[in-house]
Amino acid sequence: MKIIDNVYSVGVVDRDVRIFHGYFTPIGTTYNSFLVIDEKVTLVDFVKEKFTDEFLNNIEGILQGRTIDYIICNHVEPDHSGALPRVMEKYPQAMVYGTANCEKGLKAYYPHAKYNFTVVKLGDALNTGKYNFKFIPMPMVHWPDSMSTYLEEEKMLFSNDAFGQHTGTGEVLDTENGLDKLIDRAGDYYANIVLPFGMQVTKLIQTVSDLDIKIICPSHGVIITKYIPEIIQKYISWSKNETDDKKVLIVYDTMWGTTKKLAEQLEKEYTNKGFEVEVINLTEEHYSHAMSRVLEAKYIFVGSPTLNNNMLPSVSAFLTYMKGLKPKERIGKAFGAYGWSGESISQINEILLSCGFETEEPLKALWNV
Ligand code: FEO
């Protein structure tokens, strides 16, 4: 599919993927890849291995017998590099460009693949005729090898995972579903993938702020054309861990309904105080959905009854996941029901403290309220 003259999307839509390394993707995702036609032909990124046939067909549909001269591998994670071995079999003369960490990762993932690799760093460029690609390594956004590439003459940023969204609906452009949907999906992605790397995102934003960007082509989701200032502004805010002082998120699971009653009690109390409260029951929603709501909430209240001297496994999974994603400067509160020992509440409180949160006095209920 043509994006603009000389630039084509050749990636694939994965409508069926539902778990993406622990992250629930209810509408699937895309693995975006782009072909740039010039005196030399450049492929930007690969796709996940299982889509290689479709990917090669997409490429051939555009090239009609021409070959690929250059391949820019912005990121080694297999959703963007899995097709490499078969692409290299078909286009063995293509030179691959990426960071030093990308080279190491590709060697480890595809030890039998044959290709020539050129290591690039910030400031390096690739000329393909009338076009110049400028390389912008962005280590830890979100892997050590991660990189963006800027196509100077078309003012396009191939941003890889930055600005991505897991949108596997077949939509191509941000204009198809509006700003709110874009920000909602990009926020969900940021919370579940990028959140621990705020400092590195800040560096990336500083680097790209000098560029005139007309189109952002992330490696997942829709291409951003209209809402570039808005998405960059959101990335700045998320990278600073900015939260809404009026947002309360209540995440819980329940055995016999008492912890649910406590959640409802907290919801009522904080709504009456003027807060915007969202309640998530982990039996009904995946923990990664709860994580997406952590992104902008100042208050994170977590509840579980005590089962076998522990919290429920669903709550433990959420807390483990949230702790790894390192949200900062939140206020937590543990709550839960118990029958005799009641360890879950203190365990939750400890984990909230270990996340670096301040905590409010826990809320407990013996048997029932
Ligand atoms: Fe979309 Fe880090 O892979």
mmCIF file with all atom_site columns, all heavy atoms in Angstrom, residues 234-256:
data_model
loop_
_atom_site.group_PDB
_atom_site.id
_atom_site.type_symbol
_atom_site.label_atom_id
_atom_site.label_alt_id
_atom_site.label_comp_id
_atom_site.label_asym_id
_atom_site.label_entity_id
_atom_site.label_seq_id
_atom_site.pdbx_PDB_ins_code
_atom_site.Cartn_x
_atom_site.Cartn_y
_atom_site.Cartn_z
_atom_site.occupancy
_atom_site.B_iso_or_equiv
_atom_site.pdbx_formal_charge
_atom_site.auth_seq_id
_atom_site.auth_comp_id
_atom_site.auth_asym_id
_atom_site.auth_atom_id
_atom_site.pdbx_PDB_model_num
ATOM 1   N N   . LYS A 1 234 ? 1.925   14.015  24.567 1.00 0.00 ? 234 LYS A N   1
ATOM 2   C CA  . LYS A 1 234 ? 1.568   12.923  25.491 1.00 0.00 ? 234 LYS A CA  1
ATOM 3   C C   . LYS A 1 234 ? 2.818   12.145  25.906 1.00 0.00 ? 234 LYS A C   1
ATOM 4   O O   . LYS A 1 234 ? 2.978   11.787  27.080 1.00 0.00 ? 234 LYS A O   1
ATOM 5   C CB  . LYS A 1 234 ? 0.569   11.968  24.834 1.00 0.00 ? 234 LYS A CB  1
ATOM 6   C CG  . LYS A 1 234 ? -0.866  12.409  25.012 1.00 0.00 ? 234 LYS A CG  1
ATOM 7   C CD  . LYS A 1 234 ? -1.261  12.323  26.492 1.00 0.00 ? 234 LYS A CD  1
ATOM 8   C CE  . LYS A 1 234 ? -2.692  12.759  26.730 1.00 0.00 ? 234 LYS A CE  1
ATOM 9   N NZ  . LYS A 1 234 ? -3.018  12.835  28.171 1.00 0.00 ? 234 LYS A NZ  1
ATOM 10  N N   . TYR A 1 235 ? 3.713   11.883  24.964 1.00 0.00 ? 235 TYR A N   1
ATOM 11  C CA  . TYR A 1 235 ? 4.952   11.167  25.301 1.00 0.00 ? 235 TYR A CA  1
ATOM 12  C C   . TYR A 1 235 ? 5.780   11.975  26.308 1.00 0.00 ? 235 TYR A C   1
ATOM 13  O O   . TYR A 1 235 ? 6.393   11.397  27.205 1.00 0.00 ? 235 TYR A O   1
ATOM 14  C CB  . TYR A 1 235 ? 5.761   10.851  24.031 1.00 0.00 ? 235 TYR A CB  1
ATOM 15  C CG  . TYR A 1 235 ? 5.621   9.394   23.608 1.00 0.00 ? 235 TYR A CG  1
ATOM 16  C CD1 . TYR A 1 235 ? 4.376   8.874   23.283 1.00 0.00 ? 235 TYR A CD1 1
ATOM 17  C CD2 . TYR A 1 235 ? 6.718   8.539   23.586 1.00 0.00 ? 235 TYR A CD2 1
ATOM 18  C CE1 . TYR A 1 235 ? 4.234   7.535   22.926 1.00 0.00 ? 235 TYR A CE1 1
ATOM 19  C CE2 . TYR A 1 235 ? 6.581   7.196   23.235 1.00 0.00 ? 235 TYR A CE2 1
ATOM 20  C CZ  . TYR A 1 235 ? 5.340   6.702   22.903 1.00 0.00 ? 235 TYR A CZ  1
ATOM 21  O OH  . TYR A 1 235 ? 5.204   5.377   22.573 1.00 0.00 ? 235 TYR A OH  1
ATOM 22  N N   . ILE A 1 236 ? 5.797   13.280  26.133 1.00 0.00 ? 236 ILE A N   1
ATOM 23  C CA  . ILE A 1 236 ? 6.540   14.120  27.088 1.00 0.00 ? 236 ILE A CA  1
ATOM 24  C C   . ILE A 1 236 ? 5.917   13.968  28.479 1.00 0.00 ? 236 ILE A C   1
ATOM 25  O O   . ILE A 1 236 ? 6.609   13.756  29.481 1.00 0.00 ? 236 ILE A O   1
ATOM 26  C CB  . ILE A 1 236 ? 6.542   15.590  26.628 1.00 0.00 ? 236 ILE A CB  1
ATOM 27  C CG1 . ILE A 1 236 ? 7.397   15.747  25.378 1.00 0.00 ? 236 ILE A CG1 1
ATOM 28  C CG2 . ILE A 1 236 ? 7.029   16.520  27.736 1.00 0.00 ? 236 ILE A CG2 1
ATOM 29  C CD1 . ILE A 1 236 ? 7.291   17.090  24.683 1.00 0.00 ? 236 ILE A CD1 1
ATOM 30  N N   . SER A 1 237 ? 4.613   14.034  28.535 1.00 0.00 ? 237 SER A N   1
ATOM 31  C CA  . SER A 1 237 ? 3.922   13.935  29.823 1.00 0.00 ? 237 SER A CA  1
ATOM 32  C C   . SER A 1 237 ? 4.110   12.545  30.449 1.00 0.00 ? 237 SER A C   1
ATOM 33  O O   . SER A 1 237 ? 4.453   12.420  31.632 1.00 0.00 ? 237 SER A O   1
ATOM 34  C CB  . SER A 1 237 ? 2.436   14.242  29.590 1.00 0.00 ? 237 SER A CB  1
ATOM 35  O OG  . SER A 1 237 ? 1.682   13.858  30.688 1.00 0.00 ? 237 SER A OG  1
ATOM 36  N N   . TRP A 1 238 ? 3.920   11.497  29.663 1.00 0.00 ? 238 TRP A N   1
ATOM 37  C CA  . TRP A 1 238 ? 4.079   10.142  30.194 1.00 0.00 ? 238 TRP A CA  1
ATOM 38  C C   . TRP A 1 238 ? 5.524   9.885   30.626 1.00 0.00 ? 238 TRP A C   1
ATOM 39  O O   . TRP A 1 238 ? 5.767   9.206   31.621 1.00 0.00 ? 238 TRP A O   1
ATOM 40  C CB  . TRP A 1 238 ? 3.659   9.108   29.152 1.00 0.00 ? 238 TRP A CB  1
ATOM 41  C CG  . TRP A 1 238 ? 2.198   9.138   28.807 1.00 0.00 ? 238 TRP A CG  1
ATOM 42  C CD1 . TRP A 1 238 ? 1.171   9.540   29.620 1.00 0.00 ? 238 TRP A CD1 1
ATOM 43  C CD2 . TRP A 1 238 ? 1.591   8.772   27.550 1.00 0.00 ? 238 TRP A CD2 1
ATOM 44  N NE1 . TRP A 1 238 ? -0.028  9.440   28.941 1.00 0.00 ? 238 TRP A NE1 1
ATOM 45  C CE2 . TRP A 1 238 ? 0.198   8.969   27.680 1.00 0.00 ? 238 TRP A CE2 1
ATOM 46  C CE3 . TRP A 1 238 ? 2.077   8.300   26.331 1.00 0.00 ? 238 TRP A CE3 1
ATOM 47  C CZ2 . TRP A 1 238 ? -0.699  8.703   26.638 1.00 0.00 ? 238 TRP A CZ2 1
ATOM 48  C CZ3 . TRP A 1 238 ? 1.191   8.033   25.304 1.00 0.00 ? 238 TRP A CZ3 1
ATOM 49  C CH2 . TRP A 1 238 ? -0.187  8.232   25.456 1.00 0.00 ? 238 TRP A CH2 1
ATOM 50  N N   . SER A 1 239 ? 6.474   10.421  29.867 1.00 0.00 ? 239 SER A N   1
ATOM 51  C CA  . SER A 1 239 ? 7.876   10.165  30.210 1.00 0.00 ? 239 SER A CA  1
ATOM 52  C C   . SER A 1 239 ? 8.261   10.834  31.525 1.00 0.00 ? 239 SER A C   1
ATOM 53  O O   . SER A 1 239 ? 9.196   10.412  32.192 1.00 0.00 ? 239 SER A O   1
ATOM 54  C CB  . SER A 1 239 ? 8.812   10.639  29.092 1.00 0.00 ? 239 SER A CB  1
ATOM 55  O OG  . SER A 1 239 ? 8.787   12.043  29.011 1.00 0.00 ? 239 SER A OG  1
ATOM 56  N N   . LYS A 1 240 ? 7.502   11.865  31.908 1.00 0.00 ? 240 LYS A N   1
ATOM 57  C CA  . LYS A 1 240 ? 7.763   12.523  33.198 1.00 0.00 ? 240 LYS A CA  1
ATOM 58  C C   . LYS A 1 240 ? 6.947   11.905  34.320 1.00 0.00 ? 240 LYS A C   1
ATOM 59  O O   . LYS A 1 240 ? 6.906   12.450  35.421 1.00 0.00 ? 240 LYS A O   1
ATOM 60  C CB  . LYS A 1 240 ? 7.390   14.009  33.092 1.00 0.00 ? 240 LYS A CB  1
ATOM 61  C CG  . LYS A 1 240 ? 8.289   14.818  32.196 1.00 0.00 ? 240 LYS A CG  1
ATOM 62  C CD  . LYS A 1 240 ? 7.780   16.256  32.201 1.00 0.00 ? 240 LYS A CD  1
ATOM 63  C CE  . LYS A 1 240 ? 8.555   17.121  31.258 1.00 0.00 ? 240 LYS A CE  1
ATOM 64  N NZ  . LYS A 1 240 ? 7.832   18.374  30.965 1.00 0.00 ? 240 LYS A NZ  1
ATOM 65  N N   . ASN A 1 241 ? 6.214   10.828  34.022 1.00 0.00 ? 241 ASN A N   1
ATOM 66  C CA  . ASN A 1 241 ? 5.351   10.201  35.016 1.00 0.00 ? 241 ASN A CA  1
ATOM 67  C C   . ASN A 1 241 ? 4.291   11.170  35.533 1.00 0.00 ? 241 ASN A C   1
ATOM 68  O O   . ASN A 1 241 ? 3.905   11.112  36.708 1.00 0.00 ? 241 ASN A O   1
ATOM 69  C CB  . ASN A 1 241 ? 6.185   9.665   36.180 1.00 0.00 ? 241 ASN A CB  1
ATOM 70  C CG  . ASN A 1 241 ? 6.385   8.166   36.058 1.00 0.00 ? 241 ASN A CG  1
ATOM 71  O OD1 . ASN A 1 241 ? 5.498   7.374   36.350 1.00 0.00 ? 241 ASN A OD1 1
ATOM 72  N ND2 . ASN A 1 241 ? 7.556   7.783   35.590 1.00 0.00 ? 241 ASN A ND2 1
ATOM 73  N N   . GLU A 1 242 ? 3.841   12.073  34.690 1.00 0.00 ? 242 GLU A N   1
ATOM 74  C CA  . GLU A 1 242 ? 2.799   13.006  35.134 1.00 0.00 ? 242 GLU A CA  1
ATOM 75  C C   . GLU A 1 242 ? 1.483   12.260  35.302 1.00 0.00 ? 242 GLU A C   1
ATOM 76  O O   . GLU A 1 242 ? 1.111   11.446  34.458 1.00 0.00 ? 242 GLU A O   1
ATOM 77  C CB  . GLU A 1 242 ? 2.631   14.135  34.111 1.00 0.00 ? 242 GLU A CB  1
ATOM 78  C CG  . GLU A 1 242 ? 3.782   15.116  34.134 1.00 0.00 ? 242 GLU A CG  1
ATOM 79  C CD  . GLU A 1 242 ? 3.659   16.228  33.108 1.00 0.00 ? 242 GLU A CD  1
ATOM 80  O OE1 . GLU A 1 242 ? 2.747   16.203  32.268 1.00 0.00 ? 242 GLU A OE1 1
ATOM 81  O OE2 . GLU A 1 242 ? 4.521   17.133  33.144 1.00 0.00 ? 242 GLU A OE2 1
ATOM 82  N N   . THR A 1 243 ? 0.791   12.557  36.389 1.00 0.00 ? 243 THR A N   1
ATOM 83  C CA  . THR A 1 243 ? -0.487  11.880  36.652 1.00 0.00 ? 243 THR A CA  1
ATOM 84  C C   . THR A 1 243 ? -1.564  12.921  36.928 1.00 0.00 ? 243 THR A C   1
ATOM 85  O O   . THR A 1 243 ? -1.269  14.102  37.148 1.00 0.00 ? 243 THR A O   1
ATOM 86  C CB  . THR A 1 243 ? -0.368  10.955  37.875 1.00 0.00 ? 243 THR A CB  1
ATOM 87  O OG1 . THR A 1 243 ? 0.169   11.711  38.969 1.00 0.00 ? 243 THR A OG1 1
ATOM 88  C CG2 . THR A 1 243 ? 0.527   9.766   37.586 1.00 0.00 ? 243 THR A CG2 1
ATOM 89  N N   . ASP A 1 244 ? -2.803  12.453  36.954 1.00 0.00 ? 244 ASP A N   1
ATOM 90  C CA  . ASP A 1 244 ? -3.945  13.324  37.247 1.00 0.00 ? 244 ASP A CA  1
ATOM 91  C C   . ASP A 1 244 ? -4.286  13.164  38.723 1.00 0.00 ? 244 ASP A C   1
ATOM 92  O O   . ASP A 1 244 ? -4.677  12.081  39.172 1.00 0.00 ? 244 ASP A O   1
ATOM 93  C CB  . ASP A 1 244 ? -5.118  12.886  36.344 1.00 0.00 ? 244 ASP A CB  1
ATOM 94  C CG  . ASP A 1 244 ? -6.307  13.806  36.494 1.00 0.00 ? 244 ASP A CG  1
ATOM 95  O OD1 . ASP A 1 244 ? -6.446  14.442  37.556 1.00 0.00 ? 244 ASP A OD1 1
ATOM 96  O OD2 . ASP A 1 244 ? -7.107  13.879  35.539 1.00 0.00 ? 244 ASP A OD2 1
ATOM 97  N N   . ASP A 1 245 ? -4.145  14.254  39.480 1.00 0.00 ? 245 ASP A N   1
ATOM 98  C CA  . ASP A 1 245 ? -4.382  14.223  40.933 1.00 0.00 ? 245 ASP A CA  1
ATOM 99  C C   . ASP A 1 245 ? -5.815  13.858  41.289 1.00 0.00 ? 245 ASP A C   1
ATOM 100 O O   . ASP A 1 245 ? -6.130  13.607  42.450 1.00 0.00 ? 245 ASP A O   1
ATOM 101 C CB  . ASP A 1 245 ? -4.096  15.604  41.541 1.00 0.00 ? 245 ASP A CB  1
ATOM 102 C CG  . ASP A 1 245 ? -2.602  15.859  41.611 1.00 0.00 ? 245 ASP A CG  1
ATOM 103 O OD1 . ASP A 1 245 ? -1.836  14.907  41.402 1.00 0.00 ? 245 ASP A OD1 1
ATOM 104 O OD2 . ASP A 1 245 ? -2.220  17.023  41.865 1.00 0.00 ? 245 ASP A OD2 1
ATOM 105 N N   . LYS A 1 246 ? -6.686  13.887  40.309 1.00 0.00 ? 246 LYS A N   1
ATOM 106 C CA  . LYS A 1 246 ? -8.092  13.598  40.591 1.00 0.00 ? 246 LYS A CA  1
ATOM 107 C C   . LYS A 1 246 ? -8.503  12.196  40.143 1.00 0.00 ? 246 LYS A C   1
ATOM 108 O O   . LYS A 1 246 ? -9.678  11.852  40.177 1.00 0.00 ? 246 LYS A O   1
ATOM 109 C CB  . LYS A 1 246 ? -8.982  14.642  39.884 1.00 0.00 ? 246 LYS A CB  1
ATOM 110 C CG  . LYS A 1 246 ? -8.974  15.988  40.574 1.00 0.00 ? 246 LYS A CG  1
ATOM 111 C CD  . LYS A 1 246 ? -9.336  15.807  42.041 1.00 0.00 ? 246 LYS A CD  1
ATOM 112 C CE  . LYS A 1 246 ? -10.127 16.916  42.640 1.00 0.00 ? 246 LYS A CE  1
ATOM 113 N NZ  . LYS A 1 246 ? -10.300 16.673  44.105 1.00 0.00 ? 246 LYS A NZ  1
ATOM 114 N N   . LYS A 1 247 ? -7.526  11.405  39.691 1.00 0.00 ? 247 LYS A N   1
ATOM 115 C CA  . LYS A 1 247 ? -7.881  10.059  39.210 1.00 0.00 ? 247 LYS A CA  1
ATOM 116 C C   . LYS A 1 247 ? -7.509  8.987   40.227 1.00 0.00 ? 247 LYS A C   1
ATOM 117 O O   . LYS A 1 247 ? -6.356  8.904   40.671 1.00 0.00 ? 247 LYS A O   1
ATOM 118 C CB  . LYS A 1 247 ? -7.160  9.749   37.895 1.00 0.00 ? 247 LYS A CB  1
ATOM 119 C CG  . LYS A 1 247 ? -7.860  10.340  36.693 1.00 0.00 ? 247 LYS A CG  1
ATOM 120 C CD  . LYS A 1 247 ? -7.297  9.782   35.394 1.00 0.00 ? 247 LYS A CD  1
ATOM 121 C CE  . LYS A 1 247 ? -8.035  10.423  34.218 1.00 0.00 ? 247 LYS A CE  1
ATOM 122 N NZ  . LYS A 1 247 ? -7.428  10.138  32.936 1.00 0.00 ? 247 LYS A NZ  1
ATOM 123 N N   . VAL A 1 248 ? -8.486  8.143   40.558 1.00 0.00 ? 248 VAL A N   1
ATOM 124 C CA  . VAL A 1 248 ? -8.274  7.011   41.455 1.00 0.00 ? 248 VAL A CA  1
ATOM 125 C C   . VAL A 1 248 ? -8.531  5.725   40.665 1.00 0.00 ? 248 VAL A C   1
ATOM 126 O O   . VAL A 1 248 ? -9.558  5.609   39.995 1.00 0.00 ? 248 VAL A O   1
ATOM 127 C CB  . VAL A 1 248 ? -9.244  7.062   42.658 1.00 0.00 ? 248 VAL A CB  1
ATOM 128 C CG1 . VAL A 1 248 ? -9.093  5.807   43.522 1.00 0.00 ? 248 VAL A CG1 1
ATOM 129 C CG2 . VAL A 1 248 ? -9.017  8.313   43.486 1.00 0.00 ? 248 VAL A CG2 1
ATOM 130 N N   . LEU A 1 249 ? -7.587  4.804   40.753 1.00 0.00 ? 249 LEU A N   1
ATOM 131 C CA  . LEU A 1 249 ? -7.776  3.486   40.147 1.00 0.00 ? 249 LEU A CA  1
ATOM 132 C C   . LEU A 1 249 ? -7.883  2.458   41.273 1.00 0.00 ? 249 LEU A C   1
ATOM 133 O O   . LEU A 1 249 ? -7.001  2.395   42.138 1.00 0.00 ? 249 LEU A O   1
ATOM 134 C CB  . LEU A 1 249 ? -6.585  3.144   39.242 1.00 0.00 ? 249 LEU A CB  1
ATOM 135 C CG  . LEU A 1 249 ? -6.604  1.733   38.656 1.00 0.00 ? 249 LEU A CG  1
ATOM 136 C CD1 . LEU A 1 249 ? -7.752  1.565   37.662 1.00 0.00 ? 249 LEU A CD1 1
ATOM 137 C CD2 . LEU A 1 249 ? -5.277  1.413   37.970 1.00 0.00 ? 249 LEU A CD2 1
ATOM 138 N N   . ILE A 1 250 ? -8.954  1.680   41.239 1.00 0.00 ? 250 ILE A N   1
ATOM 139 C CA  . ILE A 1 250 ? -9.141  0.613   42.236 1.00 0.00 ? 250 ILE A CA  1
ATOM 140 C C   . ILE A 1 250 ? -9.063  -0.719  41.499 1.00 0.00 ? 250 ILE A C   1
ATOM 141 O O   . ILE A 1 250 ? -9.850  -0.976  40.586 1.00 0.00 ? 250 ILE A O   1
ATOM 142 C CB  . ILE A 1 250 ? -10.503 0.759   42.950 1.00 0.00 ? 250 ILE A CB  1
ATOM 143 C CG1 . ILE A 1 250 ? -10.589 2.116   43.658 1.00 0.00 ? 250 ILE A CG1 1
ATOM 144 C CG2 . ILE A 1 250 ? -10.717 -0.396  43.930 1.00 0.00 ? 250 ILE A CG2 1
ATOM 145 C CD1 . ILE A 1 250 ? -11.948 2.421   44.271 1.00 0.00 ? 250 ILE A CD1 1
ATOM 146 N N   . VAL A 1 251 ? -8.095  -1.542  41.876 1.00 0.00 ? 251 VAL A N   1
ATOM 147 C CA  . VAL A 1 251 ? -7.884  -2.841  41.226 1.00 0.00 ? 251 VAL A CA  1
ATOM 148 C C   . VAL A 1 251 ? -8.014  -3.914  42.301 1.00 0.00 ? 251 VAL A C   1
ATOM 149 O O   . VAL A 1 251 ? -7.364  -3.816  43.345 1.00 0.00 ? 251 VAL A O   1
ATOM 150 C CB  . VAL A 1 251 ? -6.468  -2.911  40.600 1.00 0.00 ? 251 VAL A CB  1
ATOM 151 C CG1 . VAL A 1 251 ? -6.265  -4.234  39.881 1.00 0.00 ? 251 VAL A CG1 1
ATOM 152 C CG2 . VAL A 1 251 ? -6.234  -1.749  39.644 1.00 0.00 ? 251 VAL A CG2 1
ATOM 153 N N   . TYR A 1 252 ? -8.838  -4.902  42.057 1.00 0.00 ? 252 TYR A N   1
ATOM 154 C CA  . TYR A 1 252 ? -9.051  -5.897  43.116 1.00 0.00 ? 252 TYR A CA  1
ATOM 155 C C   . TYR A 1 252 ? -9.481  -7.230  42.531 1.00 0.00 ? 252 TYR A C   1
ATOM 156 O O   . TYR A 1 252 ? -9.830  -7.339  41.354 1.00 0.00 ? 252 TYR A O   1
ATOM 157 C CB  . TYR A 1 252 ? -10.133 -5.395  44.094 1.00 0.00 ? 252 TYR A CB  1
ATOM 158 C CG  . TYR A 1 252 ? -11.530 -5.517  43.540 1.00 0.00 ? 252 TYR A CG  1
ATOM 159 C CD1 . TYR A 1 252 ? -12.338 -6.599  43.882 1.00 0.00 ? 252 TYR A CD1 1
ATOM 160 C CD2 . TYR A 1 252 ? -12.031 -4.592  42.625 1.00 0.00 ? 252 TYR A CD2 1
ATOM 161 C CE1 . TYR A 1 252 ? -13.608 -6.741  43.349 1.00 0.00 ? 252 TYR A CE1 1
ATOM 162 C CE2 . TYR A 1 252 ? -13.289 -4.723  42.091 1.00 0.00 ? 252 TYR A CE2 1
ATOM 163 C CZ  . TYR A 1 252 ? -14.082 -5.785  42.448 1.00 0.00 ? 252 TYR A CZ  1
ATOM 164 O OH  . TYR A 1 252 ? -15.335 -5.941  41.905 1.00 0.00 ? 252 TYR A OH  1
ATOM 165 N N   . ASP A 1 253 ? -9.463  -8.256  43.383 1.00 0.00 ? 253 ASP A N   1
ATOM 166 C CA  . ASP A 1 253 ? -10.177 -9.504  43.117 1.00 0.00 ? 253 ASP A CA  1
ATOM 167 C C   . ASP A 1 253 ? -10.848 -9.900  44.421 1.00 0.00 ? 253 ASP A C   1
ATOM 168 O O   . ASP A 1 253 ? -10.525 -9.367  45.493 1.00 0.00 ? 253 ASP A O   1
ATOM 169 C CB  . ASP A 1 253 ? -9.229  -10.584 42.592 1.00 0.00 ? 253 ASP A CB  1
ATOM 170 C CG  . ASP A 1 253 ? -9.964  -11.593 41.712 1.00 0.00 ? 253 ASP A CG  1
ATOM 171 O OD1 . ASP A 1 253 ? -11.216 -11.642 41.762 1.00 0.00 ? 253 ASP A OD1 1
ATOM 172 O OD2 . ASP A 1 253 ? -9.288  -12.335 40.981 1.00 0.00 ? 253 ASP A OD2 1
ATOM 173 N N   . THR A 1 254 ? -11.795 -10.814 44.330 1.00 0.00 ? 254 THR A N   1
ATOM 174 C CA  . THR A 1 254 ? -12.618 -11.113 45.502 1.00 0.00 ? 254 THR A CA  1
ATOM 175 C C   . THR A 1 254 ? -12.922 -12.610 45.570 1.00 0.00 ? 254 THR A C   1
ATOM 176 O O   . THR A 1 254 ? -12.870 -13.288 44.532 1.00 0.00 ? 254 THR A O   1
ATOM 177 C CB  . THR A 1 254 ? -13.912 -10.261 45.436 1.00 0.00 ? 254 THR A CB  1
ATOM 178 O OG1 . THR A 1 254 ? -14.551 -10.245 46.689 1.00 0.00 ? 254 THR A OG1 1
ATOM 179 C CG2 . THR A 1 254 ? -14.841 -10.743 44.339 1.00 0.00 ? 254 THR A CG2 1
ATOM 180 N N   . MET A 1 255 ? -13.197 -13.140 46.774 1.00 0.00 ? 255 MET A N   1
ATOM 181 C CA  . MET A 1 255 ? -13.571 -14.561 46.915 1.00 0.00 ? 255 MET A CA  1
ATOM 182 C C   . MET A 1 255 ? -15.069 -14.702 47.126 1.00 0.00 ? 255 MET A C   1
ATOM 183 O O   . MET A 1 255 ? -15.773 -15.308 46.354 1.00 0.00 ? 255 MET A O   1
ATOM 184 C CB  . MET A 1 255 ? -12.837 -15.180 48.112 1.00 0.00 ? 255 MET A CB  1
ATOM 185 C CG  . MET A 1 255 ? -11.450 -15.668 47.804 1.00 0.00 ? 255 MET A CG  1
ATOM 186 S SD  . MET A 1 255 ? -10.582 -16.201 49.296 1.00 0.00 ? 255 MET A SD  1
ATOM 187 C CE  . MET A 1 255 ? -11.480 -17.661 49.737 1.00 0.00 ? 255 MET A CE  1
ATOM 188 N N   . TRP A 1 256 ? -15.562 -14.091 48.216 1.00 0.00 ? 256 TRP A N   1
ATOM 189 C CA  . TRP A 1 256 ? -16.982 -14.205 48.568 1.00 0.00 ? 256 TRP A CA  1
ATOM 190 C C   . TRP A 1 256 ? -17.672 -12.845 48.567 1.00 0.00 ? 256 TRP A C   1
ATOM 191 O O   . TRP A 1 256 ? -18.748 -12.697 49.125 1.00 0.00 ? 256 TRP A O   1
ATOM 192 C CB  . TRP A 1 256 ? -17.130 -14.911 49.929 1.00 0.00 ? 256 TRP A CB  1
ATOM 193 C CG  . TRP A 1 256 ? -16.653 -16.328 49.851 1.00 0.00 ? 256 TRP A CG  1
ATOM 194 C CD1 . TRP A 1 256 ? -15.517 -16.836 50.373 1.00 0.00 ? 256 TRP A CD1 1
ATOM 195 C CD2 . TRP A 1 256 ? -17.287 -17.398 49.135 1.00 0.00 ? 256 TRP A CD2 1
ATOM 196 N NE1 . TRP A 1 256 ? -15.380 -18.159 50.045 1.00 0.00 ? 256 TRP A NE1 1
ATOM 197 C CE2 . TRP A 1 256 ? -16.462 -18.538 49.284 1.00 0.00 ? 256 TRP A CE2 1
ATOM 198 C CE3 . TRP A 1 256 ? -18.451 -17.505 48.375 1.00 0.00 ? 256 TRP A CE3 1
ATOM 199 C CZ2 . TRP A 1 256 ? -16.778 -19.773 48.707 1.00 0.00 ? 256 TRP A CZ2 1
ATOM 200 C CZ3 . TRP A 1 256 ? -18.770 -18.733 47.806 1.00 0.00 ? 256 TRP A CZ3 1
ATOM 201 C CH2 . TRP A 1 256 ? -17.938 -19.840 47.971 1.00 0.00 ? 256 TRP A CH2 1
#
